[in-house]
Amino acid sequence: MRKLVVLASSVAILASVSFAKEVKLGVVMPMSGPLAAYGQTCNEGVEFANTLAPTLKNGDTIKLVLVDNKGDKVETATATTRLISSDKVVGIIGALTSTNTAQVIAITDKKQIPVISPVATNDKLTEQKEFANRVCFTDSFQGAVVANYATKDLKLKTAVVVVDQAQVYSLGLAKAFTEAFKKAGGTIVKEIKVSSGDKDFKAVVSQIKTANPDMIFLPMYHPEVSMITRQAKQIGLVKPMFSGDGVANQTFIDLGGDSVEGYMFTDFFDYSAPPTQKSKDFIAAYEKKTGKKEVNSFTALGADSYNVMVNAMNNCANPEDSVCINNEIKKTVAFEGVSGVINIDKNGNATRSAVIKVIKDGKAVFKSTVNP
Amino acid sequence: MDVTIFMQQMVNGFSLGSMYALIAIGYTMVYGVLRLINFAHGDIMMVGGFLGYFGIAVLGLPFGAAVLLSIAGSAALGMISDKIAYRPLRSAPKISLLITAIGVSFFLENAFNVFFGGIPRAFPVPPYMEEMVELFGLTMPVSAILVPVITAVLLVVILWVLFKTKYGMAIRALAFDVGTVNLMGIDANRIITMVFGIGSALAAVGGIFWAVNYPSVEPMMGVLVGLKAFAAAVVGGIGSVGGAVLGGLIIGFTEVVVVAFFPELGGYKDAFAFIFLILILLFKPTGILGIDFEKSRF
Amino acid sequence: MEISIKKDQWINLAIVATALWFIWFASGHFDEYTIRILNNIAIFIILAVSYNLINGVTGQFSLEPNGFVAVGAYVTALLLVTPEAKMYQYAIVDPYPFVLTLHANFVTALLLAGFFSALLAFTLAAPVFRVRGDYLAIVTLGFGFIIKILAINNPEVTNGSLGMNDIPEFSNLYWTGGIAIIAVISVLNIVNSKFGRAMKAVRDDEDAATAMGVNTFKAKTLAFCTSAFFEGVGGGLLAALLTSISPDLFDFFFTFQLLIIIVLGGLGSTTGAIIGTVLVIGGSEWMRFLDEPMNIFGHETTAMPGMRMVVFSLLLILIMLFAREGIMGKRELRDLFKFGKKGGK
């Protein structure tokens, strides 16, 4: 059976190969297992960007090779090795979480294959790693955005931080926020630890109510945050609540219902106010294909990982020269992506604007843009 | 901490514990007749939640009808899984059965992931469930009262079936000795399948309540809940229906109350069920209401 | 009789020599992807064979290997990562001073990894073996889970959920394969010794074994500690192979995978554990084509990522239905060639 498949596909490849070359890009994403939801959302963007721009400017076709890592480190390592050694990819997009991305980078850095991470925001990830890049902002930037907005624009003085012990994302963001908030003159009255996968936060919301802060910062993902907002509303806890990009999707609003009215969060871009021509085109094409125009941030960042990678490849004389691609990625300046204007510095970190959104009448509404 | 907050936490713990209890009953009954840790039970609960979701959001059924659909579908799924994956292995080593149970569990999780996607879907909760009511000075949503009440009703029904009907007698007999039951002219396989049906129906109710309380469904929602419910069944004394309920309530209370009083232990919350389990088994190796396995059950 | 023992020894030597030759050949000739899969297989052989000692040979249904593997992996990581790298890695809180002073070479790190896992097993043995059967299973599952939670909640030592990174990559096929051979030989020697007979007696009927004068607690503890030692070493090898570990790796799914391996191969059979490892670890890599778009008779199907795991679970059920005692049952490889002699003791 498999032989037949291989035979059939190799015949198909042979037939097409005579016209244009095929260049392979690897994608490592959790498509099954506990992280599958996010992996699927992000990969949707990578694949959709590929269907919109499937060729390089020299006419070569870009073929995506998606490998599922089940959200697991052993599988991530195997998948990355396979992409490099068997599939001979010139670059890799992935992985989703910071721990698995660290695993990808541990291998690619030795093999000199550039990685672009769509959504891994942990500060440490790209430090001392030559071939690691990302299109999202870092936790410290995002944490500072929220802290400054809360203290300067909203004049809030005390905060409770609820941190998800099991998520690197949450710990990094909580730390960044805490530092920036204190620096801006605020006080953290309480830090509460929870674990992802928890469903019951009634004890947590009661504690927050007792602490009576000006605001609550919840640097977590939407399933847990939506539970907290619902349970907070049930006990009558009404305070300004903030999150990072972990809640930046429609599912959060669906899950939270009217308990998330007034909820504020940082995001990479806003589909209702597309920042670039590219995002307009992307959203239009996306709406045509799926019937909805609510492009998730993870989807947009997945698309931009692909776009930045392809842009770098186009800037190289030989689009299969991985070292050149990596150098070009780090020279990305004022790149108009789906999620906004992206600059990537020599450390591989993106400097880009963030937007603050507020949920009004069941819709995330653009509130303010914060530039780095 | 004032009395109101304390009472509020008690209600929360009771509500959470009732959900664990509903799922734990299925574990304990299957274990009673088959000595099988049915690792797929948590995933049956997930399917129950999904069926409820499909019933309301896709078929447009009213909540009650969706619950019935979910119960019927899950019970059927439980019985089918028994027929395909467990029944052919009745005489095989117990551990082979356990592996097929893990297989069924992986299959359900991954099939739902591939065909319906892993992104959590918002569960359409009927508005009256979310209405807040005042009771003894405490405010709580209707669902927080409904869960324990329905659990209690179902518990009474289960105990009635077990102790007052001939099927119940057959189930209890089966827990003693399969061979003898067959000699008595009772089709043991039919009874075991029935146990799977009952257990899965309860899991479906648990799954729907879970989906109502934390209004979403996703393919992995049953994994940790299932494990904790199993721990609950063991804490209470596996094989005993009353024990399963007791264990579920204990673990539900612990999770809520310990986090409320010792917030710095919040990070260890998921471990409480297991720490409790280990402590209880150290002092009473058969669980609280446990019955020595070589003797009797239920 | 003597001749046959000698013949057996020659066969054993030949098998070991072939394995060594294969390791040498593979290291020089195979591509990195294949070598990584072989590394994974070698490490999982160590884990499966030693897990099989407690679960299959001694018949104590325990579900804790993820905990012991985690202990081994963290001990190794803490000993191998340089103090400078640690200073820079601990992002959440500063590490305890003693964490920075830890340092050792690879062999010492692996031995200590095994030692600490075995020590933990020894401490746990007394409380854990108070219970039997499925109670034991859930208690040990609980211990494995608690170790993961401890790793998350003690960032001063473990760097929390971010885990340890930049672990020097010492593991290669010579290490993983070599230690796998040592593990298999050690376990087989134990199984065939008087301790092994005591372990099997415990499995077959614990009460009868006690009545016969077998110190069942001692037999169980020995099996538990040996198994923990090799699981710790395997964890250390895994850490030095991946170069990056975090608590989410040591979930109970890790244990389930090992359980599937040893039951699929045949509980109690060391050969079975090896076959099971190759099938599960190698097979799930091979089945990756299921996730990709397929070209069936010129018709391109859409990719269904995750399909691999659906098929994997179905195959698992099917194999168990048709080979209910696993592929090898309780037999070893050599039993298959002993046609004339039944139940060779």
Side-chain angles (χ1 to χ4, degrees), chain A residues 73 81 111 124 129 175, chain C residues 32 36 88 91 153 166 244:
Chain A
K73 273 194 177 234
T81 315
K111 299 286 165 207
K124 292 278 172 196
K129 299 283 186 233
K175 193 181 178 198
Chain C
E32 282 171 62
R36 184 169 282 276
Y88 141 82
N153 284 287
D166 295 323
S244 150

Side-chain angles (χ1 to χ4, degrees), chain A residues 11-322:
Chain A
V11 169
I13 289 168
L14 274 178
S16 59
V17 107
S18 43
F19 298 104
K21 246 185 351 185
E22 197 175 59
V23 187
K24 283 182 181 167
L25 276 183
V27 183
V28 182
M29 281 287 163
M31 300 304 287
S32 59
L35 298 168
Y38 309 103
Q40 289 162 3
T41 313
C42 193
N43 183 56
E44 189 186 13
V46 182
E47 286 192 343
F48 197 56
N50 178 244
T51 54
L52 290 181
T55 50
L56 291 169
K57 67 177 181 196
N58 70 1
D60 290 357
T61 324
I62 300 163
K63 185 177 189 298
L64 293 176
V65 188
L66 169 68
V67 195
D68 172 26
N69 68 357
K70 298 200 306 202
D72 169 291
K73 273 194 177 234
V74 180
E75 292 252 343
T76 305
T78 316
T80 311
T81 315
R82 182 196 121 157
L83 287 173
I84 298 171
S85 122
S86 297
D87 296 310
K88 315 272 183 225
V89 298
V90 298
I92 291 178
I93 296 170
L96 189 84
T97 56
S98 291
T99 45
N100 287 333
T101 308
Q103 182 67 60
V104 172
I105 293 169
I107 293 168
T108 51
D109 222 46
K110 285 174 192 143
K111 299 286 165 207
Q112 304 203 315
I113 298 288
V115 174
I116 298 184
S117 172
V119 295
T121 48
N122 189 272
D123 286 49
K124 292 278 172 196
L125 218 54
T126 50
E127 277 176 42
Q128 304 182 0
K129 299 283 186 233
E130 208 191 324
F131 286 80
N133 311 283
R134 61 178 133 209
V135 292
C136 51
F137 42 57
T138 58
D139 290 335
S140 50
F141 174 68
Q142 196 178 179
V145 166
V146 178
N148 292 332
Y149 186 75
T151 48
K152 302 211 170 87
D153 294 39
L154 301 179
K155 312 275 182 236
L156 303 173
K157 298 237 151 23
T158 56
V160 166
V161 178
V162 184
V163 58
D164 182 345
Q165 280 280 98
Q167 295 288 345
V168 183
Y169 162 77
S170 185
L171 291 162
L173 190 49
K175 193 181 178 198
F177 171 82
T178 306
E179 281 168 9
F181 195 72
K182 282 183 184 157
K183 212 167 121 193
T187 323
I188 307 288
V189 286
K190 195 169 198 130
E191 188 181 281
I192 301 173
K193 290 169 182 170
V194 300
S195 276
S196 44
D198 286 1
K199 304 274 182 188
D200 205 288
F201 297 101
K202 298 195 174 97
V204 173
V205 290
S206 308
Q207 282 179 54
I208 302 176
K209 202 178 176 188
T210 319
N212 193 28
D214 290 347
M215 65 166 284
I216 308 156
F217 184 55
L218 305 138
M220 293 184 284
Y221 292 113
H222 62 267
E224 285 79 22
V225 179
S226 59
M227 307 286 161
I228 294 181
T229 56
R230 277 177 169 268
Q231 292 168 25
K233 194 185 168 221
Q234 285 177 359
I235 65 156
L237 172 65
V238 192
K239 293 282 173 191
M241 295 198 209
F242 271 102
S243 279
D245 62 299
V247 302
N249 51 54
Q250 188 59 38
T251 318
F252 174 60
I253 301 173
D254 292 345
L255 292 177
D258 54 3
S259 72
V260 296
E261 276 299 304
Y263 203 96
M264 284 171 278
F265 58 91
T266 51
D267 203 349
F268 297 94
F269 93 120
D270 186 69
Y271 67 85
S272 61
T276 63
Q277 187 56 42
K278 199 163 207 157
S279 40
K280 277 181 200 146
D281 297 346
F282 187 88
I283 294 164
Y286 186 84
E287 191 181 5
K288 207 171 156 193
K289 190 191 160 220
T290 62
K292 52 177 187 174
K293 60 177 192 233
E294 288 87 0
V295 177
N296 186 294
S297 292
F298 275 29
T299 311
L301 288 166
D304 277 347
S305 307
Y306 176 84
N307 292 335
V308 168
M309 184 79 84
V310 171
N311 182 52
M313 288 162 82
N314 277 331
N315 287 343
C316 285
N318 173 11
E320 289 179 66
D321 178 353
S322 290

Side-chain angles (χ1 to χ4, degrees), chain B residues 148-162:
Chain B
V149 170
I150 292 188
T151 307
V153 171
L154 288 173
L155 180 66
V156 171
V157 172
I158 289 294
L159 290 176
W160 179 78
V161 169
L162 275 179

Side-chain angles (χ1 to χ4, degrees), chain B residues 31 35 37 39 84-85 88-96 98-100 102-104 106-107 109-111 113-115 220 223-224 227 230-231 234 237-238 267-268 270-271 274-275 277-278 281-287 291 293, chain C residues 55 61 63 126-128 130-131 133-139 141-143 145-146 149-150 152-154 252-253 256-257 259-260 263-264 267 304-314 316-318 320-326:
Chain B
Y31 191 88
R35 311 286 192 280
I37 306 176
F39 275 117
I84 294 175
L89 293 173
R90 291 277 195 263
S91 58
K94 213 174 58 178
I95 198 152
S96 307
L98 190 85
I99 298 293
T100 53
I102 295 179
V104 172
F106 280 12
F107 173 74
E109 287 160 16
N110 286 294
N113 179 45
V114 168
F115 297 112
M220 304 297 282
V223 179
L224 195 57
L227 271 185
F230 179 66
V234 179
I238 195 154
Y268 291 95
D270 283 335
F274 295 102
I275 293 172
L277 175 89
I278 291 165
L281 288 186
L282 287 185
F283 296 103
K284 193 153 188 317
T286 48
I291 309 121
F293 254 82
Chain C
N55 245 23
F61 182 25
L63 293 173
V128 157
R130 275 177 58 92
V131 290
D134 293 321
Y135 289 99
L136 180 66
I138 193 77
V139 166
L141 182 81
F143 272 119
F145 193 74
I146 290 168
I149 302 267
L150 283 173
I152 292 176
N153 284 287
N154 288 287
F252 48 78
F253 284 114
F256 280 5
Q257 191 170 25
L259 187 68
I260 289 170
V263 179
L264 205 61
L267 202 59
M304 284 196 151
M307 204 56 197
R308 171 176 69 122
M309 290 309 293
V310 177
V311 176
F312 175 83
S313 43
L314 283 179
L316 181 65
I317 298 172
L318 277 179
M320 288 323 295
L321 289 183
F322 289 103
R324 33 175 57 193
E325 300 218 359

Side-chain angles (χ1 to χ4, degrees), chain C residues 180-197:
Chain C
I181 292 174
I182 295 173
V184 171
I185 293 175
S186 317
V187 167
L188 281 177
N189 270 323
I190 293 177
V191 172
N192 293 326
S193 70
K194 80 169 198 242
F195 297 113
R197 283 191 294 279

Side-chain angles (χ1 to χ4, degrees), chain C residues 50 53-54 64 68 114-125 129 190 199 218-232:
Chain C
S50 54
L53 186 66
I54 181 77
E64 83 307 317
F68 291 141
F115 172 75
F116 278 107
S117 292
L119 189 67
L120 178 68
F122 185 73
T123 336
L124 289 182
F129 290 127
I190 293 177
M199 289 169 189
K218 195 173 144 195
K220 286 194 263 186
T221 307
L222 184 72
F224 199 47
C225 293
T226 315
S227 139
F229 178 83
F230 281 113
E231 278 158 12

Side-chain angles (χ1 to χ4, degrees), chain C residues 23-44:
Chain C
I23 292 171
W24 169 80
F25 180 81
S27 302
H29 291 76
F30 291 167
D31 65 23
E32 282 171 62
Y33 176 46
T34 317
I35 289 179
R36 184 169 282 276
I37 297 174
L38 289 175
N39 268 317
N40 288 346
I41 289 178
I43 291 175
F44 273 85

